[in-house]
């Protein structure tokens, strides 16, 4: 009788241990679902980040960017706010390349203005529900480079903070937004060329139909992520 009770207890223990192990894996996954939005009191050194695929907050590594995160407002083509707050998360390797690009712009009296960075898959689904057209919003079943932490939507501002004229607004989906569209003033064409050349020199590539969209080379191989962030006051 005592042996049967002991055997039963051992079996229960093994089942419980298996459940706890499975739960632990789930907990690790759940913990990794949320990114740390807490701002560092001092600027961090991106070269000290060992994991090039980790997600980090760009604001913790430089004060030399302008942030105008459109999807944290209703000032976008969706006409709806879809981000809880205006954070800019990217993979470490994307941040490294972007910091180098911005250094080049700063030397010439400009700096990068950001409209969008990493986008969780859940947000991609919401956007596709609002505009279910893959010509304007990537289908979440496939995901976009934004969902992989390797894409940025950007423009430039000058030393006075004035945005450089790129010919169209961000998220303008007409042919005028294309890199190949040439029926623009010499000034606008030169501005786009300036942005493009420095970004290409720093391991990014263009998205042909959108002058503002740049993908880190090789980022299409990274996994789609649904990691979200909590807003810090």
């Amino acid at each position: 009788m005592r042996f049967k009770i002991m055997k039963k207890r051992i079996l229960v223990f093994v089942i419980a241990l298996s459940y706890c192990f499975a739960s632990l894996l789930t907990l690790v996954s759940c913990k990794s679902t949320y990114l740390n939005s807490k701002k560092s009191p001092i600027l961090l050194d991106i070269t000290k980040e060992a994991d090039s695929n980790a997600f980090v907050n760009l604001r913790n590594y430089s004060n030399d960017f302008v942030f105008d995160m459109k999807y944290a407002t209703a000032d976008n083509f969706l006409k709806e706010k879809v981000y809880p707050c205006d954070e800019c998360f990217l993979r470490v390797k994307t941040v490294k390349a972007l910091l180098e690009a911005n250094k080049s712009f700063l030397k010439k009296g400009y700096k990068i203005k950001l409209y969008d960075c990493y986008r969780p898959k859940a947000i991609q689904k919401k956007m596709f529900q609002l505009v279910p057209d893959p010509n304007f919003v990537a289908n979440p079943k496939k995901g976009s480079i934004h969902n992989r932490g390797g894409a940025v939507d950007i423009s430039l501002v000058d030393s006075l903070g004035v945005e450089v004229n790129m010919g169209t607004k961000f998220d303008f989906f007409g042919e005028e937004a294309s890199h190949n569209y040439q029926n623009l003033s010499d000034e606008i064409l030169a501005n786009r060329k300036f942005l493009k050349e420095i970004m290409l020199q720093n391991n990014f590539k263009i998205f042909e139909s959108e002058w503002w969209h740049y993908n880190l080379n090789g980022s299409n191989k990274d996994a789609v992520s649904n990691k979200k962030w909590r807003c810090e006051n």
Side-chain angles (χ1 to χ4, degrees):
M1 183 69 177
R2 184 177 295 176
F3 175 75
K4 286 183 178 180
I5 293 172
M6 184 64 71
K7 188 177 180 181
K8 187 176 182 180
R9 285 178 177 174
I10 291 172
L11 182 61
V12 170
F13 175 76
V14 171
I15 292 171
L17 187 64
S18 300
Y19 176 78
C20 288
F21 181 71
S23 297
L24 179 61
L25 292 178
T26 303
L27 279 172
V28 170
S29 176
C30 289
K31 283 183 179 178
S32 66
T33 298
Y34 282 92
L35 300 168
N36 184 6
S37 296
K38 190 173 182 180
K39 306 302 185 297
S40 172
I42 58 172
L43 288 179
L44 304 178
D45 184 352
I46 195 65
T47 64
K48 301 291 178 62
E49 302 292 347
D51 185 357
S52 65
N53 283 314
F55 284 92
V56 293
N57 192 331
L58 178 61
R59 296 178 194 268
N60 284 333
Y61 299 89
S62 175
N63 291 323
D64 293 322
F65 291 91
V66 176
F67 296 90
D68 184 13
M69 309 301 287
K70 292 297 189 182
Y71 298 119
T73 73
D75 182 22
N76 57 65
F77 81 103
L78 301 169
K79 306 302 180 186
E80 185 170 328
K81 176 182 176 180
V82 292
Y83 289 169
C85 50
D86 63 342
E87 299 296 352
C88 176
F89 283 94
L90 294 164
R91 292 191 190 271
V92 166
K93 57 189 177 183
T94 312
V95 171
K96 285 180 178 178
L98 196 64
L99 287 170
E100 290 303 311
N102 207 34
K103 285 179 184 177
S104 296
F105 288 122
L106 287 166
K107 289 176 182 178
K108 298 178 181 295
Y110 297 87
K111 64 176 63 173
I112 291 174
K113 180 176 184 176
L114 289 130
Y115 298 121
D116 197 19
C117 301
Y118 160 67
R119 182 188 306 153
K121 186 176 181 179
I123 302 296
Q124 190 72 33
K125 287 181 178 178
K126 184 174 182 179
M127 291 174 70
F128 197 70
Q129 287 171 354
L130 292 169
V131 181
D133 186 339
N135 291 311
F136 304 113
V137 179
N139 191 320
K141 290 182 179 180
K142 180 180 178 182
S144 74
I145 307 300
H146 279 295
N147 306 144
R148 292 170 166 83
V152 287
D153 292 337
I154 61 173
S155 187
L156 296 172
V157 298
D158 64 20
S159 59
L160 299 176
V162 178
E163 190 166 345
V164 171
N165 185 2
M166 295 293 181
T168 75
K169 291 183 177 181
F170 163 69
D171 266 1
F172 175 84
F173 294 113
E175 63 176 343
E176 294 88 347
S178 169
H179 282 278
N180 290 330
Y181 188 79
Q182 297 296 306
N183 191 21
L184 299 165
S185 70
D186 290 343
E187 176 195 3
I188 293 169
L189 291 174
N191 290 340
R192 289 189 183 186
K193 182 181 178 182
F194 176 48
L195 175 62
K196 177 181 175 180
E197 286 183 345
I198 289 183
M199 292 301 288
L200 294 185
Q201 289 167 12
N202 287 279
N203 203 28
F204 287 92
K205 62 181 180 180
I206 66 168
F207 186 68
E208 195 280 322
S209 62
E210 301 174 356
W211 61 259
W212 56 83
H213 184 118
Y214 285 86
N215 295 327
L216 185 72
N217 282 313
S219 56
N220 61 310
K221 298 177 183 178
D222 293 323
V224 168
S225 174
N226 195 36
K227 294 181 180 180
K228 306 174 186 70
W229 57 87
R230 290 188 176 94
C231 301
E232 297 283 340
N233 293 328

